Amino acid sequence: MTDEVKKDMRLSAEITLDFPFEVDGKNYKSLTMRRPKTKDSLKAAKFKGHDADKGILLLADLCNVSPDVIAELDEIDAMKLGAQLDAFRGGQSS
């Protein structure tokens, strides 16, 4: 058995959250992530801060939500978003 991530060629993917939550009066049961573009990775890389903060910024941009929403994710759901990002990248993490 391999842990290889399969390429995901879709333009976007809806990720159902195992642990829904609320931020600023809005309920989040799922997030829709679009495919990353080079400019998204460059924006996150230029951000001055911890690598975790850069990851939050990137996921927030890709899911079209504020970084506060990503910060409220349960770790299990954050890992699901990370796995989807890896799938969009064809298994290549940046």
Side-chain angles (χ1 to χ4, degrees):
M1 183 164 92
T2 65
D3 290 333
E4 185 176 318
V5 176
K6 293 189 178 198
K7 290 182 184 179
D8 188 335
M9 303 303 286
R10 297 178 291 171
L11 295 178
S12 65
E14 183 174 355
I15 298 98
T16 301
L17 303 176
D18 291 334
F19 300 93
F21 60 95
E22 182 180 315
V23 172
D24 295 331
K26 182 173 180 185
N27 289 315
Y28 292 90
K29 296 179 182 180
S30 67
L31 292 171
T32 300
M33 180 187 293
R34 67 173 171 79
R35 294 187 63 76
K37 296 183 178 194
T38 301
K39 65 182 178 181
D40 298 312
S41 296
L42 288 172
K43 179 181 175 184
K46 290 178 182 177
F47 180 78
K48 303 289 185 213
H50 192 275
D51 284 347
D53 294 323
K54 292 177 183 184
I56 287 173
L57 178 66
L58 179 60
L59 291 175
D61 283 348
L62 297 179
C63 294
N64 196 33
V65 296
S66 77
D68 292 341
V69 171
I70 301 300
E72 285 298 321
L73 284 170
D74 184 272
E75 284 286 322
I76 297 266
D77 291 325
M79 290 189 317
K80 287 172 77 171
L81 265 63
Q84 181 59 56
L85 179 57
D86 287 347
F88 278 149
R89 290 176 168 162
Q92 302 294 316
S93 297
S94 65

